[in-house]
Amino acid sequence: VFAIRMPERRTRTIKTDILARVEGEGAMFVKIDDGRVIDVKLKIYEPPRFFEAFLRGRAFTEAPDITARICGICPVAYQMSAVQAMEQICGVEVDGQLRALRRLLYCGEWIESHALHVFMLHAPDFLGYDSVVELARDEPGLVAQALELKKTGNQVMSLIGGREIHPINVRVGGWYRVPRKSELAPLVPRLERAREIALETVRFTSALDFPDYEQAYELVSLSAPGEYPIDRGRIVSNNGLDIDISQYDQHFVEEHVPWSNALHSRLRERGSYLCGPLARFALSGDNLSSAARAAASEAGLSATERNPFRSIVVRGIEMVYAAEEALRLIAEYEEPDTPAVEVEPRAGVGYGCTEAPRGILYHRYELDDDGTILDAKIVPPTSQNQRTIEEDLRGVVERSLELSDDELSRRCEQTIRNYDPCISCATHFLTLEVERS
Amino acid sequence: VHLVRDALPHTRGRAKLKVVGIGNAWRSDDAVGLVVARRLREVLPGSVEVLEREGEPTGLIETWADAEALWLVDAVSSGALPGTVHRVDASHDELPEQFGGGSTHHFSLGEAVAMARALGRLPDHVVVFGVEGERFEIGDELTPEVAAAVPVVVAAVRDEVRRPSD
């Protein structure tokens, strides 16, 4: 009998049981054996919420308000994808000022959501703080500006949407009530101020220390001629994908993995991909306003930025853009004759896809001829980014093995927050897998 | 010479006073702050602003930034017996961790108070009442022990609001 003496192996496990500063409940697990990452899991254990199931049997007009409840941070995204799909089924086009108001509402959500993430959730990672409270003690002026920015986003939501969280004014076909031009005027100085704060945000974030890490992502976003994508477009990627949103299911597939209550998405042909600010910026950066473009080049961003840690800068750029776009929409606003287009239900299948702050949000509905929802499918951006988050964790850990377990754990959390994951959004899915032995 | 600040007692009559009840109406005992706020609205003079909030921290800071004296009422889960009433003077000290930490979606009431303090947006006088909850699942009723604590907290806040400032 003999034994082979193995060289001493060192196994390290890096885990966080409850991820802080993300929306929803998740955990992280990384196992390293002998300098090799052998297991990476982003565990989403928040229980599924079955939104797709309880949409069945409801009226098509209810979808925007029901799905808005999926998220308190990005309810507008849900409303916008839902109304788009319903209007497509019913053969209605919502354009002109009715559409412009939708884009304006969405700008409010981008500002509100990005301000929250950049300052409250993500910036502490870069500065070595445990929370924004410590940041507020050292940089009260900065945090006060962040709150002001967020408040401006909320004010846009309140004025256009009727409420800052889960707006109540959105309907299939348009709005319940449209604002008078004079009602929008008070937003102008606030948005001008928001633009200035956003520009300072870009300067502040671009001076942070970024871990040296890049990945050859497939970047996926909406794209519309001459527009920075928010409320409509085709789905495109830097690897040549260019499809109508109705073809989504032919190109993207969702899969269940045992460690997550949120389905993982992948491109059928090529696997993981990334959606969100980095993708929008890479694919439509040319369509940003000139001030946003100038800020991006001053910040040293590449045209196709592949360092996910720099997403914090891109969120700043997008806030500059959202403030300017909101100002443009207000300047060009003329009160429409009617708040909504008449919509008659009819049977069919329709698709909606818009750019939530975190990336593309896809909806598909099937209606019967009286407008009852027969089937619903919703794919939020966090589901789509899960595989990429895990690949980033693997890559980041492999390049950072010299860090202590504690430092490595912090670096991993920072990596996850690059995606501003909304776990609550991602766990609405229907499939419940029961394992029996 | 004997210098006494505020030598003569004055009521809080002219100061801006606010009471904020915090909670989720659909999460059983988590609603206790809202229930207390509704009762207080009936018994406090109209000059005292009584508000109900879900607890989103940046919104909370906005809510109380202009107050001079503030009372917050929230549910707490610290392991004490259900219905236990905790009172913490947060005018100078931070709150214990169990205050308002029930959500991972945003930071806690304790952090909101700490952040407001760092930003100079915390009233000079801040008292937090925490009512120990038992159930935080979906539901619109308080457990009996928690419901029994409601008049206790209502009376305590009412007395403090009416009391001359010291």
Side-chain angles (χ1 to χ4, degrees):
Chain A
V1 175
F2 64 95
I4 300 171
R5 275 178 72 91
M6 297 289 289
E8 198 184 326
R9 295 174 77 94
R10 186 161 169 255
T11 306
R12 298 169 75 186
T13 306
I14 308 292
K15 61 177 189 146
T16 302
D17 292 331
I18 301 172
L19 286 170
R21 283 185 278 130
V22 295
E23 276 86 42
E25 293 168 10
M28 165 193 87
F29 178 87
V30 179
K31 194 167 178 190
I32 306 158
D33 187 42
D34 215 25
R36 236 163 32 88
V37 179
I38 54 169
D39 199 8
V40 174
K41 289 187 175 96
L42 174 66
K43 297 179 167 183
I44 292 187
Y45 56 81
E46 177 155 323
R49 301 188 296 164
F50 307 113
F51 268 86
E52 288 160 328
F54 63 71
L55 280 160
R56 290 182 193 158
R58 308 299 298 222
F60 75 112
T61 49
E62 293 180 288
D65 290 319
I66 292 175
T67 59
R69 289 283 166 171
I70 291 173
C71 187
I73 309 287
C74 55
V76 171
Y78 284 91
Q79 296 186 320
M80 294 298 119
S81 289
V83 294
Q84 192 185 85
M86 296 309 177
E87 287 156 9
Q88 190 197 42
I89 297 173
C90 302
V92 166
E93 187 86 33
V94 173
D95 227 314
Q97 290 298 340
L98 295 178
R99 182 213 163 198
L101 284 171
R102 286 179 171 177
R103 202 166 160 91
L104 177 57
L105 179 68
Y106 225 138
C107 286
E109 177 163 287
W110 274 27
I111 293 171
E112 189 268 334
S113 175
H114 279 356
L116 174 74
H117 185 259
V118 167
F119 291 99
M120 313 288 150
L121 309 181
H122 210 195
D125 282 331
F126 289 87
L127 300 164
Y129 296 115
D130 281 331
S131 87
V132 68
V133 175
E134 293 162 47
L135 177 60
R137 287 190 189 120
D138 289 354
E139 304 273 357
L142 184 75
V143 174
Q145 285 193 338
L147 292 181
E148 197 181 335
L149 200 55
K150 184 173 181 300
K151 190 178 173 187
T152 299
N154 282 345
Q155 283 167 333
V156 173
M157 305 256 290
S158 295
L159 207 141
I160 310 297
R163 191 159 70 177
E164 62 188 41
I165 301 173
H166 303 131
I168 47 169
N169 191 26
V170 174
R171 64 186 283 189
V172 178
W175 305 89
Y176 290 100
R177 178 186 176 276
V178 288
R180 299 195 176 282
K181 197 166 170 66
S182 60
E183 286 177 82
L184 298 181
L187 290 178
V188 171
R190 288 173 190 154
L191 285 161
E192 285 169 348
R193 170 95 181 117
R195 176 178 55 195
E196 294 315 306
I197 298 174
L199 283 167
E200 277 182 49
T201 304
V202 173
R203 286 190 282 271
F204 161 72
T205 53
S206 63
L208 296 168
D209 278 333
F210 299 101
D212 190 16
Y213 175 76
E214 290 196 347
Q215 232 201 98
Y217 301 108
E218 175 147 8
L219 301 161
V220 174
S221 79
L222 292 181
S223 172
E227 291 176 4
Y228 196 73
I230 299 181
D231 59 326
R232 67 180 178 188
R234 292 171 67 78
I235 299 171
V236 302
S237 86
N238 57 329
N239 289 355
L241 184 77
D242 184 357
I243 56 168
D244 185 81
I245 62 169
S246 62
Q247 295 170 291
Y248 181 95
D249 292 313
Q250 292 154 42
H251 293 269
F252 296 87
V253 63
E254 289 187 286
E255 293 168 329
H256 179 255
V257 296
W259 59 91
S260 177
N261 280 347
L263 297 173
H264 277 204
S265 295
R266 64 179 172 82
L267 272 158
R268 283 183 201 276
E269 297 88 2
R270 292 184 292 276
S272 62
Y273 60 99
L274 181 160
C275 61
L278 279 188
R280 291 189 291 254
F281 179 72
L283 296 163
S284 294
D286 291 346
N287 293 336
L288 285 166
S289 57
S290 56
R293 278 205 311 273
S297 86
E298 201 183 306
L301 291 172
S302 318
T304 301
E305 186 56 60
R306 294 177 192 278
N307 182 337
F309 295 94
R310 286 208 161 85
S311 62
I312 192 171
V313 188
V314 178
R315 286 189 184 90
I317 301 286
E318 289 196 333
M319 286 193 283
V320 174
Y321 174 75
E324 293 207 301
E325 179 70 351
L327 286 165
R328 182 188 71 82
L329 293 163
I330 291 171
E332 294 173 7
Y333 180 66
E334 281 166 43
E335 202 178 323
D337 297 333
T338 58
V341 180
E342 202 67 38
V343 184
E344 287 299 320
R346 64 186 194 194
V349 176
Y351 310 87
C353 192
T354 64
E355 286 281 358
R358 290 149 193 79
I360 55 173
L361 168 62
Y362 170 76
H363 288 213
R364 186 196 68 208
Y365 298 96
E366 184 180 357
L367 302 184
D368 72 8
D369 51 16
D370 72 354
T372 302
I373 298 170
L374 299 174
D375 190 45
K377 176 176 178 173
I378 298 171
V379 187
T382 296
S383 293
Q384 303 182 61
N385 281 333
Q386 275 182 110
R387 278 172 65 109
T388 300
I389 295 172
E390 289 182 346
E391 288 170 9
D392 271 3
L393 281 172
R394 187 178 287 272
V396 166
V397 168
E398 278 172 355
R399 284 166 185 75
S400 319
L401 288 168
E402 75 287 358
L403 297 178
S404 71
D405 284 3
D406 215 31
E407 290 169 320
L408 198 52
S409 180
R410 289 176 79 114
R411 178 62 54 83
C412 286
E413 289 192 36
Q414 181 181 17
T415 303
I416 292 170
R417 289 187 202 107
N418 286 336
Y419 290 85
D420 187 6
C422 189
I423 290 170
S424 308
C425 283
T427 53
H428 64 268
F429 77 105
L430 175 61
T431 319
L432 188 64
E433 211 160 90
V434 183
E435 232 179 73
R436 294 173 208 276
S437 50
Chain B
V1 180
H2 198 88
L3 289 175
V4 184
R5 261 181 69 201
D6 295 330
L8 300 172
H10 57 85
T11 61
R12 299 183 192 277
R14 261 180 286 169
K16 194 161 177 63
L17 312 183
K18 280 195 188 182
V19 177
V20 185
I22 299 160
N24 181 335
W26 312 108
R27 287 279 181 179
S28 306
D29 292 339
D30 195 39
V32 68
L34 308 176
V35 175
V36 169
R38 276 167 222 158
R39 299 274 176 83
L40 280 168
R41 197 174 288 127
E42 292 162 14
V43 299
L44 287 174
S47 57
V48 181
E49 201 172 347
V50 182
L51 300 160
E52 295 166 46
R53 290 290 181 270
E54 286 192 355
E56 193 279 310
T58 61
L60 279 179
I61 295 172
E62 287 292 331
T63 297
W64 69 51
D66 64 340
E68 285 158 56
L70 172 70
W71 287 265
L72 299 169
V73 187
D74 198 359
V76 178
S77 178
S78 72
L81 285 173
T84 304
V85 177
H86 310 260
R87 180 189 182 277
V88 181
D89 186 333
S91 308
H92 304 288
D93 301 318
E94 302 306 349
L95 291 175
E97 269 181 16
Q98 63 265 29
F99 274 86
S103 172
T104 54
H105 294 237
H106 42 62
F107 39 108
S108 67
L109 177 61
E111 284 180 295
V113 168
M115 188 154 99
R117 195 192 314 277
L119 298 176
R121 294 188 189 176
L122 195 68
D124 291 339
H125 183 87
V126 185
V127 173
V128 183
F129 281 91
V131 181
E132 189 75 23
E134 184 180 22
R135 289 189 306 116
F136 293 93
E137 298 92 76
I138 289 171
D140 59 0
E141 275 183 50
L142 302 179
T143 51
E145 294 87 346
V146 174
V150 168
V152 178
V153 182
V154 168
V157 175
R158 184 196 58 204
D159 291 350
E160 288 194 23
V161 171
R162 285 178 174 174
R163 193 189 311 151
S165 62
D166 32 45

